[in-house]
Amino acid sequence: MTDQTTVFLTIVGMLAVTYLPRVLPLWLFSSRSLPPLVIAWLRYVPVAVLAAMVLPSLVLAEDRITLGGDNLFFWAAFPTFIVAWRTKSLFAAVLVGMGVVAGARAVIGIG
Amino acid sequence: MNEIPTSAKPAVSAAWLRGFTRALPIVMGYIPIGFAYGVLAQQAGLSLLNTLAMSTLVYAGSSQLIAAGLFAAAAPALSIVATTFIVNLRHMLFSAALSPYLKGWRKWELAVFAYELTDESFALHSVEFPRGASSKIEAGALNLTAQVSWIFGTWLGAVVGGRIDDVRPLALDYTLPAMFIVLLVMQIKRRLEIIIAILTGILAAALTLSGMGQWSVILATLVGATAGVALEQASGTRAKKKEAARKQTARREASRRRATREHAAQTRAAQKRAAHEPTAQRLIADEQAAQNLARRSEHAPADPKVGETISGPTA
């Protein structure tokens, strides 16, 4: 390829299909009062969607469950989790997680 | 900016600063990932302008990385757009989930906010909005900081590309996974939410393993949130019943206690009366005696002893 105009038009198409799901629910729902059951349902979405993104990224590698010693992201999740639980500090927990990963790579040379 | 009164300016810049600061964990993750996208997009043959245009117009990490791969494989435009649609459909859930917190916002403000709604900004907002602490400006500053860092990372990758290729010694590739872990922890306030998180996570992993690919996050979330409401309703009914039972027991207990108390009071009163009884009886007796005396004294002159007898016990 690569005809840059086609690329640009494709990007515009990508913009449309990405932006509509981002904006439509906000436009439709934020201006009206939703039934309590829907509100209750929406309140579970953040927990559910974060868990659905986090857990597979920690336990799966190349479409396989990998919980071995070389799955550094999985093991580093524990200190990150504990610091997050105790301190409720985003920065502290993220830095601890990164420190564990960086340290393990430097010292043991895994991951 | 002209309509903002002078007195509001410090508050406005403080909100900007807060939004900027809160975006920093995202920035640490976005620069290396944007960098990776920039390198890939260049290798796929995109011009610098188009590489940056995608980060500016689409602004959705995983779909951009996938699109770079598809451009490299010379996939047809329509299939690139269709793939992007599926990969980014989960934003609908983010948008819907935040809508109850953005009631007072104008349409155009929502439009701007939605434009920069990503996994990461959603994760931060979904913790912050329920606390009621985040203003429009703060939310906007957070979003803008994140996207600028994404575009900057893209530019860095596209321009200096091959020269820096390893972010692993600094563990920058762990910034966003760590951030998601922390924000998930911050979301959890009740036992039921722990159950839902574990359930949904396992379901998403299982769906991914069974080849559901990009659908697994959306499907797992739909099931997980529905399970959450169902369990909440069920336990709510149970809790209501339990509460009613508890109240009834409490009422019975209270009335039993009241009865005991009243009984005790009555006993005490009875005892007290019993203790006073002799006095009372004496009083009555004295009164009768006095009356008798008085009756007698109608015929006789006043007896000084009578006054003494009467006043004695009363004093």
Side-chain angles (χ1 to χ4, degrees), chain A residues 32-64:
Chain A
R32 65 193 71 188
S33 45
L34 300 168
L37 208 60
V38 176
I39 300 270
W41 189 83
L42 288 175
R43 259 207 288 273
Y44 281 99
V45 168
V47 171
V49 80
L50 285 177
M53 292 193 290
V54 167
L55 197 82
S57 77
L58 295 179
V59 302
L60 302 183
E62 283 148 22
D63 283 348
R64 277 247 211 58

Side-chain angles (χ1 to χ4, degrees), chain B residues 286-308:
Chain B
D286 286 345
E287 204 156 325
Q288 277 169 353
Q291 274 167 8
N292 289 344
L293 274 177
R295 233 174 279 131
R296 247 179 283 150
S297 66
E298 273 170 14
H299 311 284
D303 187 345
K305 260 192 226 159
V306 173
E308 264 178 40

Side-chain angles (χ1 to χ4, degrees), chain A residues 49 53, chain B residues 90-99 117-119 122:
Chain A
V49 80
M53 292 193 290
Chain B
R90 68 185 183 288
H91 291 105
M92 202 176 59
L93 293 167
F94 304 162
S95 178
L98 291 180
S99 65
L117 192 55
T118 62
D119 296 357
F122 165 74

Side-chain angles (χ1 to χ4, degrees), chain B residues 236-256:
Chain B
T237 324
R238 226 183 12 248
K240 248 180 233 157
K241 269 189 202 148
K242 222 189 263 173
E243 176 71 8
R246 201 186 58 73
K247 266 189 190 148
Q248 205 178 351
T249 321
R251 252 198 314 273
R252 226 177 289 145
E253 181 69 13
S255 71
R256 201 177 56 76

Side-chain angles (χ1 to χ4, degrees), chain B residues 21 28 32 69 71 84 89 101 152 159 161 205 210 261 268 300 308 314:
Chain B
T21 315
M28 285 199 294
F71 275 121
T84 305
L89 199 56
Y101 305 109
F152 175 70
V159 173
S210 62
R261 226 178 10 248
R268 256 199 315 279
E308 264 178 40
T314 17

Side-chain angles (χ1 to χ4, degrees), chain B residues 112-136:
Chain B
V112 173
F113 178 81
Y115 188 81
E116 292 177 311
L117 192 55
T118 62
D119 296 357
E120 293 76 17
S121 67
F122 165 74
L124 281 177
H125 289 311
S126 67
V127 167
E128 218 46 47
F129 278 134
R131 291 181 185 164
S134 192
S135 68
K136 283 177 204 174

Side-chain angles (χ1 to χ4, degrees), chain B:
Chain B
M1 280 310 235
N2 283 345
E3 69 272 17
I4 294 166
T6 332
S7 60
K9 266 184 188 158
V12 168
S13 55
W16 272 99
L17 192 66
R18 267 200 310 278
F20 172 78
T21 315
R22 276 177 44 212
L24 289 182
I26 299 185
V27 171
M28 285 199 294
Y30 272 11
I31 292 179
I33 299 176
F35 185 93
Y37 157 73
V39 172
L40 285 174
Q42 287 296 290
Q43 285 170 1
L46 270 71
S47 67
L48 178 61
L49 217 58
N50 271 336
T51 302
L52 291 170
M54 205 197 289
S55 285
T56 312
L57 298 176
V58 181
Y59 183 41
S62 46
S63 71
Q64 286 184 233
L65 288 162
I66 292 167
L70 291 173
F71 275 121
L78 202 64
S79 89
I80 297 177
V81 172
T83 307
T84 305
F85 175 68
I86 295 165
V87 173
N88 289 338
L89 199 56
R90 68 185 183 288
H91 291 105
M92 202 176 59
L93 293 167
F94 304 162
S95 178
L98 291 180
S99 65
Y101 305 109
L102 307 182
K103 282 212 179 310
W105 293 40
R106 292 189 201 97
K107 278 260 194 290
W108 70 266
E109 291 168 334
L110 292 171
V112 173
F113 178 81
Y115 188 81
E116 292 177 311
L117 192 55
T118 62
D119 296 357
E120 293 76 17
S121 67
F122 165 74
L124 281 177
H125 289 311
S126 67
V127 167
E128 218 46 47
F129 278 134
R131 291 181 185 164
S134 192
S135 68
K136 283 177 204 174
I137 291 175
E138 189 179 331
L142 188 159
N143 284 355
L144 191 64
T145 307
Q147 185 169 15
V148 167
S149 75
W150 178 250
I151 297 170
F152 175 70
T154 303
W155 174 80
L156 217 57
V159 173
V160 298
R163 268 173 281 165
I164 310 165
D165 62 351
D166 205 0
V167 295
R168 291 160 20 112
L170 289 174
L172 287 172
D173 53 337
Y174 200 58
T175 311
L176 295 180
M179 192 182 91
F180 280 123
I181 294 169
V182 183
L183 292 170
L184 178 59
V185 170
M186 287 181 172
Q187 284 289 338
I188 291 172
K189 287 171 213 83
R190 292 177 294 155
R191 198 156 29 140
L192 187 53
E193 287 167 339
I194 300 178
I195 297 168
I196 294 307
I198 294 170
L199 197 99
T200 315
I202 291 173
L203 182 61
L207 288 170
T208 309
L209 284 176
S210 62
M212 293 304 290
Q214 296 297 333
W215 292 102
S216 56
V217 168
I218 297 176
L219 286 177
T221 303
L222 293 177
V223 173
T226 308
V229 175
L231 288 173
E232 185 183 283
Q233 296 291 319
S235 75
T237 324
R238 226 183 12 248
K240 248 180 233 157
K241 269 189 202 148
K242 222 189 263 173
E243 176 71 8
R246 201 186 58 73
K247 266 189 190 148
Q248 205 178 351
T249 321
R251 252 198 314 273
R252 226 177 289 145
E253 181 69 13
S255 71
R256 201 177 56 76
R257 259 203 302 266
R258 208 178 316 121
T260 319
R261 226 178 10 248
E262 271 164 20
H263 180 71
Q266 276 165 3
T267 318
R268 256 199 315 279
Q271 279 166 352
K272 218 190 229 158
R273 259 201 311 280
H276 283 292
E277 207 100 287
T279 327
Q281 273 169 354
R282 226 182 301 139
L283 240 177
I284 296 163
D286 286 345
E287 204 156 325
Q288 277 169 353
Q291 274 167 8
N292 289 344
L293 274 177
R295 233 174 279 131
R296 247 179 283 150
S297 66
E298 273 170 14
H299 311 284
D303 187 345
K305 260 192 226 159
V306 173
E308 264 178 40
T309 343
I310 293 173
S311 66
T314 17

